[in-house]
Amino acid sequence: MSILVDEDTRVVVQGITGGEGKFHTEQMLEYGTNVVAGTSPGKGGQEVAGVPVYDTVNEAVEEEDADASVVFVPPAFAADAIFEALDTSLDLVVAITEGIPTQDMAKVNKRLSEVDTRLQGPNCPGIITPGESKLGILPGNIFESGNVGLVSRSGTLTYQVVDTLTSRGIGQTTAIGIGGDPIIGTDFIDALEAFENDPDTEAVVMCGEIGGEDEEEAAAYIAENMDTPVAGFIAGRTAPPGKRMGHAGAIVSGSGTGTAESKIDALNDAGVPVGDTPAEVVDHIEDFL
Amino acid sequence: MRLHEYQAKGVFADAGIPTPGSEVASTVDDVVSIAERLGYPVAVKAQVHVGGRGKAGGIKLAEDSDEARDAAEDILGMDLKGYTVEKVLVEEAVDFTNELYVGVTMDRGEGKPVAMVSTKGGVNIEEVAEEDPDAIAREHIDPAFGMHPYQARKVVYDAGVDKAVARDVASVLTTLYDLWESKDASDAEINPLMVTSDDEVVAADAVLNIDEDALFRHPDLAEMEDEAAEDELEAKANEYGFDYVRLDGNVGIIGNGAGLVMTTLDLVDYYGGKPANFLDIGGGAKAERVANALDMVFSDENVDSVVFNIFGGITRGDEVAKGINEALEQFDEIPKRVVVRLAGTNAAEGREILNDELVTVEETLEGAVQRAVEYAEEDQ
């Protein structure tokens, strides 16, 4: 089992004729993802890696009966591409694009509250149900099918933890990178809720980082609502206050909230063990299984 | 990107927010002649990107030309929290009866803009927010519609602003919101907004921080970026297009992806070392970019060893290895020992290519970090 995507998910790639769009379409097809269409305004009628290209998302969804999209559109046009996707019957839109202006995302966020479609990202590596489907840029070969769910704000940190899990023989139900931007669609709580409701997910890894208060809120959610055990990791313990560390969200205000310490404390209070190293997180998961 | 006060004030004044008469100067003589022109008293204010300038001696009042000269001599060239003051703003001093705070920022938790007004202006507003949060009135704004006039009035009344100036403060707030939106700002603030004895309002300070991701829409603002205000290495990182933060340790850290690089920093600390920097080469880096990253970290004289941590997804291990080899082969003697850990896409191919006479190759993240910490201790 899995959350959000599986082998039946029919995927549209927005921006399929661009360099990233084309390369990762090939990678996704190779992994077994059911990529049924691509879009690129003005390039309808072409094909990329055998996948038909349409001018609009609506056309692609109607013609190919798609239910999810992956956005590889450059930042200046990405919000528009997400709005376009949200104006269709898609269940899930995964935005990989990094560097979308925050005010654009605030407007997208407003639109999200009016539609049924789920957004994941932006600035995220995507989502993968090992052995079935991957939407995004995650390296498929390190994942194994199994019973641990993973949700993370950081792409490469996800890979690190997954690699450790897999090397110790622990497979994954679904891994989802929610992205490190200040305004995102799917957040920790959305993903944790989906894992809680998935009968095959027996334990969850949650990787957070400094900045914002999402981890603190997730901790409160776990304490109230989850029976599935969760182990955590928080990146940025050594980050100095006031500096932005790559992710827009990864900045410590210096006023006590959003620090690694406040996040670790909140998780510990919710009964979630937090590893000092990625390997230690996997130790905790081993204890749960 | 942070604008200087004089730049932000120019933007605010153009939009119709009342500001005191002022001019920028970089020499003592200019300060005095501007002060004569404006008329005394004047404020002489350091133009550097630090908070708390007043307390640190970066803002001085002058009643006459002697005082203006003294203030200029004190402030120009001074070191203010690590930044050298190269420019000052000379400004008419406002005779005020009251100081307000007015600001617009993004509330990331809500995913919405928020407009704020407080009658506790003129002090550190972050401290007010912490100690007396009710002293700041707030109103969330629907980003699709912008701020309605009634919302500006509501937040001004909620803050308890004197009725005599409420209408003018609401008008300033409306303009500030429109600026925040049209300039893709992350923060737009006036602290203090001074109320004069004639019940007029004047912006005595101006903060305008622009979302760097949106600079492509604002070439005029991008031009205002003051590279002199940055650390030399941070300016170089900007040129190369890296996310880079200089820290005070001696283990240089290069990796791909913010979360993994932060984790590498944390592990260096965990194993008893001290990170010298945060350097994220980003996704899909090619050989040249890898070489630039090494150049950056080697340029930092505090660095004693370097750990290069790559987990390839979109980034390919063989490209990274090629970059490391090319960068290091240029040296007769490599300035710092480099430990490399490659995993993920094409990692095996990368490890095959890596010249292990030039670098130490480690299989695991923990192993690589421990080795780099050891090297840093030995080379200290």
Side-chain angles (χ1 to χ4, degrees):
Chain A
M1 264 282 287
S2 59
I3 65 164
L4 304 176
V5 298
D6 59 27
E7 59 194 355
D8 297 326
T9 305
R10 296 173 65 81
V11 180
V12 179
V13 177
Q14 292 179 249
I16 196 169
T17 56
E20 298 269 314
K22 181 170 180 292
F23 176 76
H24 289 289
T25 296
E26 287 161 357
Q27 297 283 309
M28 286 189 276
L29 286 167
E30 197 176 306
Y31 194 74
T33 305
N34 200 5
V35 181
V36 296
T39 64
S40 186
K43 297 192 175 165
Q46 298 183 5
E47 275 195 1
V48 170
V51 174
V53 179
Y54 294 90
D55 287 317
T56 68
V57 178
N58 199 48
E59 205 183 347
V61 172
E62 302 227 318
E63 293 294 325
E64 306 294 341
D65 197 22
D67 42 34
S69 88
V70 191
V71 179
F72 284 104
V73 174
F77 315 104
D80 184 49
I82 297 171
F83 275 114
E84 185 184 5
L86 295 181
D87 223 6
T88 68
S89 61
L90 290 170
D91 297 325
L92 175 68
V93 177
V94 180
I96 307 300
T97 311
E98 178 179 359
I100 303 179
T102 307
Q103 292 199 18
D104 290 5
M105 282 311 301
K107 295 190 176 83
V108 167
N109 187 53
K110 157 74 175 175
R111 182 74 181 131
L112 272 177
S113 68
E114 303 164 340
V115 298
D116 291 329
T117 306
R118 173 189 290 280
L119 173 69
Q120 185 197 328
N123 190 14
C124 81
I127 181 168
I128 183 167
T129 292
E132 297 191 31
S133 189
K134 83 160 178 168
L135 281 67
I137 61 176
L138 309 114
N141 61 322
I142 61 171
F143 293 84
E144 280 291 339
S145 180
N147 55 5
V148 172
L150 188 139
V151 55
S152 172
R153 265 167 79 180
S154 153
T156 44
L157 180 55
T158 305
Y159 311 161
Q160 175 67 41
V161 173
V162 164
D163 193 50
T164 312
L165 285 167
T166 299
S167 70
R168 296 207 209 161
I170 304 169
Q172 304 91 40
T173 46
T174 297
I176 171 168
I178 58 175
D181 276 7
I183 299 179
I184 55 174
T186 299
D187 61 14
F188 281 123
I189 294 176
D190 298 324
L192 290 168
E193 185 181 15
F195 282 128
E196 174 71 8
N197 293 329
D198 173 28
D200 289 341
T201 298
E202 289 175 21
V204 179
V205 178
M206 173 183 150
C207 294
E209 64 186 26
I210 52 167
E213 288 169 6
D214 296 26
E215 289 82 356
E216 287 88 336
E217 286 164 15
Y221 175 84
I222 293 167
E224 283 285 308
N225 302 289
M226 286 188 75
D227 292 324
T228 312
V230 181
F233 183 78
I234 301 293
R237 293 166 188 240
T238 48
K243 292 283 189 183
R244 173 176 154 167
M245 307 288 259
H247 284 164
I251 181 162
V252 182
S253 63
S255 63
T257 57
T259 61
E261 199 184 359
S262 74
K263 290 170 194 295
I264 293 167
D265 287 348
L267 287 167
N268 283 335
D269 288 348
V272 176
V274 178
D276 283 336
T277 68
E280 258 184 50
V281 183
V282 179
D283 294 342
H284 291 305
I285 291 292
E286 274 179 336
D287 292 342
F288 291 146
L289 298 175
Chain B
M1 184 193 105
R2 191 167 170 173
L3 300 190
H4 283 301
E5 176 193 1
Y6 75 89
Q7 295 168 324
K9 247 178 199 156
V11 175
F12 287 10
D14 287 347
I17 294 175
T19 54
S22 66
E23 282 179 57
V24 185
S26 49
T27 68
V28 174
D29 287 344
D30 281 352
V31 170
V32 176
S33 61
I34 292 167
E36 300 286 326
R37 214 164 31 240
L38 292 172
Y40 294 99
V42 295
V44 180
K45 304 162 91 176
Q47 299 297 292
V48 283
H49 293 313
V50 298
R53 285 174 301 169
K55 273 187 196 163
I59 299 179
K60 290 205 159 95
L61 272 177
E63 300 279 354
D64 55 38
S65 60
D66 287 343
E67 286 185 17
R69 184 166 295 278
D70 288 347
E73 280 171 353
D74 286 350
I75 298 175
L76 278 168
M78 81 182 282
D79 178 274
L80 206 62
K81 299 183 181 174
Y83 293 90
T84 306
V85 179
E86 288 172 357
K87 286 184 187 134
V88 292
L89 186 65
V90 187
E91 183 170 84
E92 290 173 337
V94 180
D95 184 20
F96 63 94
T97 56
N98 220 331
E99 294 180 292
L100 307 174
Y101 167 85
V102 180
V104 179
T105 191
M106 183 68 80
D107 180 340
R108 60 173 287 176
E110 293 286 324
K112 285 179 186 166
V114 59
M116 296 173 288
V117 173
S118 176
T119 54
K120 289 197 167 181
V123 295
N124 184 335
I125 199 71
E126 282 82 10
E127 277 172 23
V128 175
E130 196 139 313
E131 287 158 18
D132 187 9
D134 292 341
I136 304 171
R138 300 172 172 83
E139 179 78 9
H140 282 103
I141 309 299
D142 185 324
F145 295 117
M147 187 162 65
H148 296 290
Y150 85 87
Q151 291 179 297
R153 293 196 299 270
K154 178 171 184 291
V155 66
V156 167
Y157 291 136
D158 283 351
V161 172
D162 193 300
K163 289 273 193 300
V165 292
R167 189 178 287 267
D168 287 345
V169 177
S171 158
V172 166
L173 178 58
T174 306
T175 308
L176 195 65
Y177 182 87
D178 291 345
L179 275 177
W180 178 87
E181 188 184 26
S182 64
K183 305 293 183 192
D184 272 297
S186 48
D187 312 286
E189 291 179 293
I190 302 170
N191 187 23
L193 179 67
M194 284 179 174
V195 181
T196 69
S197 49
D198 306 333
D199 286 336
E200 285 178 359
V201 294
V202 183
D205 193 14
V207 170
L208 191 61
N209 296 334
I210 309 296
D211 178 358
E212 304 210 352
D213 287 336
L215 276 180
F216 67 87
R217 288 199 280 244
H218 306 282
D220 53 328
L221 296 174
E223 265 180 30
M224 292 186 189
E225 178 143 39
D226 178 9
E227 296 202 357
E230 289 178 65
D231 179 290
E232 198 179 307
L233 278 170
E234 291 186 359
K236 192 170 182 174
N238 234 352
E239 217 169 280
Y240 282 145
F242 291 130
D243 276 324
Y244 173 86
V245 178
R246 190 174 187 179
L247 303 167
D248 54 9
N250 63 341
V251 180
I253 294 159
I254 304 171
N256 65 325
L260 186 66
V261 182
M262 279 195 283
T263 301
T264 313
L265 261 66
D266 294 347
L267 283 178
V268 165
D269 179 72
Y270 179 78
Y271 288 115
K274 279 211 167 85
N277 66 277
F278 166 103
L279 198 170
D280 180 6
I281 61 169
K286 298 277 188 272
E288 188 193 350
R289 199 164 164 77
V290 171
N292 289 346
L294 275 170
D295 176 46
M296 283 273 333
V297 178
F298 285 166
S299 321
D300 182 346
E301 54 190 29
N302 294 329
V303 169
D304 289 318
S305 71
V306 180
V307 57
F308 215 116
N309 182 25
I310 299 294
F311 208 119
I314 193 168
T315 305
R316 289 169 40 182
D318 52 342
E319 272 291 333
V320 172
K322 218 166 78 187
I324 293 174
N325 286 348
E326 282 173 13
L328 297 183
E329 277 157 9
Q330 299 165 17
F331 294 95
D332 293 329
E333 192 181 346
I334 296 166
K336 343 258 176 185
R337 282 195 272 182
V338 179
V339 183
V340 180
R341 182 266 182 148
L342 285 179
T345 308
N346 291 4
E349 291 89 331
R351 280 195 297 268
E352 203 127 295
I353 301 172
L354 263 183
N355 184 340
D356 55 15
E357 285 175 15
L358 304 179
V359 299
T360 306
V361 182
E362 286 281 346
E363 288 288 320
T364 67
L365 170 57
E366 288 82 1
V369 168
Q370 287 180 70
R371 184 59 67 100
V373 170
E374 272 169 39
Y375 284 171
E377 277 168 9
E378 285 169 19
D379 290 359
Q380 240 175 348

